Structures are given as C-alpha cells and as structure tokens.
C-alpha cells in the first residue's frame, strides 16, 4: 500500500518542482517574512531552530533523526589543541531539518507520519547528489523498509481482497478466492512466502478449470501493455520485492551498491518518463491508467521511490531468481 503525503510536503521541502533527474533541489533563502538560518550548526543549533519555528525539539530528537536517516551524521570539528568542539551538521542538513519540520507542522492532515518524511529524504537522494549523502540514505532506506507493509489486520485484509479480485477469473469459486486470500494475507503478515503453496492457490484463482486426465493444464494470462502477464510474473515480482525490502530493512546492501544502482536507475527512469505519454497510447489506450503520471509532487515522489526498489530488485538478481523459482513451482504443479 502507498501512503499519501500532505498536499504540499515535497514542495515545502524543496521549494520547487523536482520532476527530472537532472534538476537540483534549491532551498530558498526566505520563507514568508522569516529568514531561514544558514551555515553549519550543532545539535543545539538545530534544537534552537526548531524552537524558533514553534516546534518542540531536543538533542535526543536530533539523535533519533540521525539514527533513522532523516539527517546525516554530524561531522567532527576541531578548533583547538585541547579536545574537540561539538560535531556539526553542514548547512544543507540544517536547512533540511528546518524544512521538514515546517512542512510537517503546516500540513492540513495534522502530524505527518515519519514514513512520509522519509520518502522525501529518499526522493532527494534519488535526484540530487548534494543534500542527502548515501550513508544517510542507507539508514533512511532501512527506516522506509521497516514501515513498508506495516498495516493493521483490517487494512491488510482489505488490500489482499483487492489483489484477489484483480487476479481472480470470474469463474473462480468462493473457496478458491478464500484460499488465495489466506495465503496472501499470511505472506503479508509474516513476510514469508511458501512459493509452492502460493503457486498452487493463485494458479487455481487465475485459471480455475479442472485438469483433464492426460491433458495439459489450461493456464490463462492477463493482457498487459507489453504482452500477456502470467500468474508466475505476479509471484516473482512479489517475492523479489519482499526480498529487496528485507535486505534494505537489515542494511544488507552496501553504500557502494546503492550508489551503483542509483546510477543505473536515473537514466532508466528519465527514459521511461520521456516515453510515458507514447506508451500510454499502446493498443487502444486500454492500459493508459498504468502510465498515468501522478498529478502531485508527492505522488511523483512515492512513484520514484517505489520504482527504485524495483530497479534494485532487478540489479541484485532477485527478479531473475524469483522468476526461476516461480517457474519451477509451476512445473512441479503440472506434473
């Protein structure tokens, strides 16, 4: 599930639309009649900045933001021969701290959840090299991954029901739908996928016809913009994304690898954005909804962050491995 940000959150943080990879996030010098503080600052300075905005803050809050990837680690500073001065945050990080606080406090939705602010930080890392360093982004990906899929039982059941209805053939029985629902919901709840069991229940949901003795099983595929989409494709993508999120959650992906995949992602994403209007008209335009561009910067941030996870899954070889596992499970089922 994807959570909506406040209507102006990314705009508040960046100060302008950031739609292309080549763009840079420009922090404005003024906000209303208030001059935004500039220059490096200690944790105490950041707390003072927050209090000047009317936001309660403490050194512990700043430390928590660093741990979660909302801020980069402060840098050591030594100006005397005896000991070191308090660590300082560079000007970009001090500015980021204030902007995030301002956007959170101005939101008409009330207090913005951390997972929304984290997506802003990740979006900045995806499109810009100067504001969010990769060590910070790695922690932010961990925080984002921990929040991914974290829903209550009611919302989880609703999400799974929507997936079942999307995949189910009209002839699928209530029993087949229920079996698929239970397996999907268990996978979402535990993060564990029994690929053989999942293949069995989703194949029956997708192609609910009894197998005739001596005859190969009839399996359908749903139409897609680039060709038929089999049930194995859905299983493979779900498995690969879950594995990717798990690796991000446990910080198992090195900073150098994140940088490498980001370098792959940027031109790919820019190419897709350039082709998007044409791709939306493929066929009779029946797939246009899949390529509709979000009409808010918040939607574009959500989409960009989600797309990077898919790119990461591919670059780590997880999609290929999951596809092989899904096909192996299919062959076992038809024997």
């Amino acid at each position: 599930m994807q959570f909506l940000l406040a209507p102006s959150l990314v705009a508040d943080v960046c100060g302008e639309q950031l739609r292309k990879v080549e763009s840079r996030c420009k922090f404005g010098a003024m906000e209303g009649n208030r001059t935004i503080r500039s220059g490096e600052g200690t944790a105490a300075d950041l707390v003072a900045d927050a209090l000047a905005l009317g936001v309660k803050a403490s050194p512990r809050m700043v430390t928590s933001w660093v741990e979660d990837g909302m801020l980069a680690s402060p840098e050591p500073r030594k100006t005397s021969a005896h000991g070191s001065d308090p660590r300082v945050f560079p000007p970009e990080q001090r500015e980021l701290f204030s902007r995030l606080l301002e956007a959170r406090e101005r939101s008409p939705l009330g207090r913005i959840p951390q997972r929304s602010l984290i997506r802003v930080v990740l979006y900045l890392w995806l499109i810009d090299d100067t504001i969010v360093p990769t060590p910070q982004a790695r922690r932010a990906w961990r925080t984002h991954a921990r929040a991914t899929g974290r829903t209550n039982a009611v919302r989880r059941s609703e999400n799974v029901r929507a997936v079942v209805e999307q995949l189910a053939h009209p002839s699928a029985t209530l029993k087949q739908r229920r079996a698929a629902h239970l397996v999907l919901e268990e996978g979402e709840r535990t993060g564990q996928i029994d690929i053989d069991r999942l293949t069995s229940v989703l194949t029956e949901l997708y192609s609910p016809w009894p197998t005739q003795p001596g005859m190969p099983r009839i399996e359908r595929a749903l139409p897609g913009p680039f060709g038929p989409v089999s049930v194995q494709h859905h299983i493979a993508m779900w498995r690969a994304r879950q594995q990717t999120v798990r690796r991000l959650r446990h910080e198992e992906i090195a900073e150098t690898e994140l940088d490498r995949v980001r370098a792959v992602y940027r031109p790919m994403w820019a190419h897709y954005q350039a082709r998007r209007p044409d791709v939306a008209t493929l066929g009779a335009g029946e797939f246009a909804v899949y390529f509709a561009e979000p009409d808010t910067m918040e939607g574009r941030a959500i989409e960009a962050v989600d797309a990077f996870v898919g790119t990461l899954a591919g670059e780590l070889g997880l999609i290929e491995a999951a596809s092989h596992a899904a096909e192996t499970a299919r062959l076992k089922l038809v024997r």
Side-chain angles (χ1 to χ4, degrees):
M1 183 179 116
Q2 303 211 335
F3 302 90
L4 295 179
L5 307 182
S8 62
L9 184 54
V10 178
D12 284 346
V13 174
C14 298
E16 64 175 9
Q17 292 193 2
L18 298 172
R19 301 188 55 178
K20 296 183 179 179
V21 169
E22 294 81 5
S23 65
R24 293 291 180 264
C25 188
K26 307 295 184 182
F27 291 107
M30 298 290 294
E31 178 63 38
N33 294 322
R34 183 183 69 81
T35 301
I36 294 175
R37 295 179 182 274
S38 60
E40 60 185 21
T42 64
D45 292 326
L46 267 61
V47 170
D49 292 346
L51 295 177
L53 293 172
V55 180
K56 292 182 179 180
S58 66
R60 183 176 180 179
M61 172 187 169
V62 174
T63 300
S64 177
W65 275 39
V66 170
E67 292 174 351
D68 291 337
M70 301 282 287
L71 290 171
S73 298
E75 302 168 355
R77 181 182 59 176
K78 185 177 178 66
T79 59
S80 66
H82 305 287
S84 298
D85 292 338
R87 290 173 175 261
V88 294
F89 294 89
E92 296 83 2
Q93 289 285 314
R94 186 176 183 182
E95 182 73 6
L96 176 63
F97 179 72
S98 293
R99 291 287 189 177
L100 288 172
L101 287 178
E102 287 181 312
R104 186 183 69 177
E105 295 303 310
R106 283 202 301 271
S107 168
L109 301 179
R111 196 170 187 83
I112 295 294
Q114 186 192 55
R115 60 178 175 265
S116 297
L117 295 177
I118 281 292
R119 273 198 299 267
V120 174
V121 171
L122 291 173
Y123 186 49
L124 293 175
W125 175 75
L126 285 172
I127 64 174
D128 192 279
D129 293 329
T130 63
I131 300 170
V132 177
T134 301
Q136 176 189 353
R138 190 180 185 217
R139 296 193 302 273
W141 279 116
R142 178 195 63 197
T143 302
H144 174 73
R146 286 176 176 175
T148 299
R150 187 183 297 171
T151 58
N152 58 40
V154 173
R155 181 62 61 84
R156 186 165 55 243
S157 182
E158 292 174 350
N159 294 339
V160 169
R161 185 178 298 109
V163 171
V164 169
E165 289 307 311
Q166 177 187 2
L167 300 182
H169 186 275
S171 299
T173 66
L174 181 61
K175 181 179 179 181
Q176 289 168 329
R177 294 169 190 264
R178 180 60 178 165
H181 186 108
L182 290 175
V183 173
L184 286 169
E185 190 169 35
E186 180 182 2
E188 286 294 307
R189 179 177 56 83
T190 65
Q192 302 297 319
I193 298 177
D194 183 335
I195 198 163
D196 290 337
R197 185 181 175 205
L198 182 64
T199 297
S200 177
V201 298
L202 288 190
T203 297
E204 289 195 6
L205 182 74
Y206 223 62
S207 308
W209 307 289
T211 303
Q212 299 299 321
M215 299 291 291
R217 184 184 184 95
I218 300 175
E219 295 187 30
R220 74 178 180 121
L222 290 176
F226 303 109
V229 181
S230 67
V231 68
Q232 282 73 38
H233 171 80
H234 292 290
I235 294 171
M237 293 305 299
W238 187 35
R239 180 185 176 96
R241 292 185 71 87
Q242 279 203 332
Q243 290 176 327
T244 304
V245 169
R246 182 188 62 78
R247 293 192 183 189
L248 289 169
R249 183 182 301 127
H250 296 289
E251 292 188 90
E252 295 174 358
I253 303 173
E255 294 169 18
T256 54
E257 187 70 353
L258 289 173
D259 281 335
R260 183 189 71 80
V261 176
R262 180 176 60 171
V264 172
Y265 163 87
R266 284 177 172 175
M268 288 177 59
W269 187 243
H271 178 67
Y272 167 70
Q273 295 286 35
R275 294 186 60 232
R276 195 170 191 159
D278 294 332
V279 175
T281 63
L282 288 174
E286 64 268 32
F287 303 112
V289 63
Y290 296 110
F291 303 102
E293 187 172 0
D295 56 6
T296 66
M297 285 189 294
E298 291 70 39
R300 288 191 286 274
I302 291 172
E303 186 181 59
V305 168
D306 189 60
F308 179 81
V309 174
T311 303
L312 187 58
E315 287 294 311
L316 294 176
L318 297 177
I319 294 177
E320 181 179 0
S323 297
H324 177 74
E327 179 61 15
T328 299
R330 185 191 73 83
L331 294 175
K332 288 170 59 178
L333 184 64
V334 300
R335 290 192 184 114

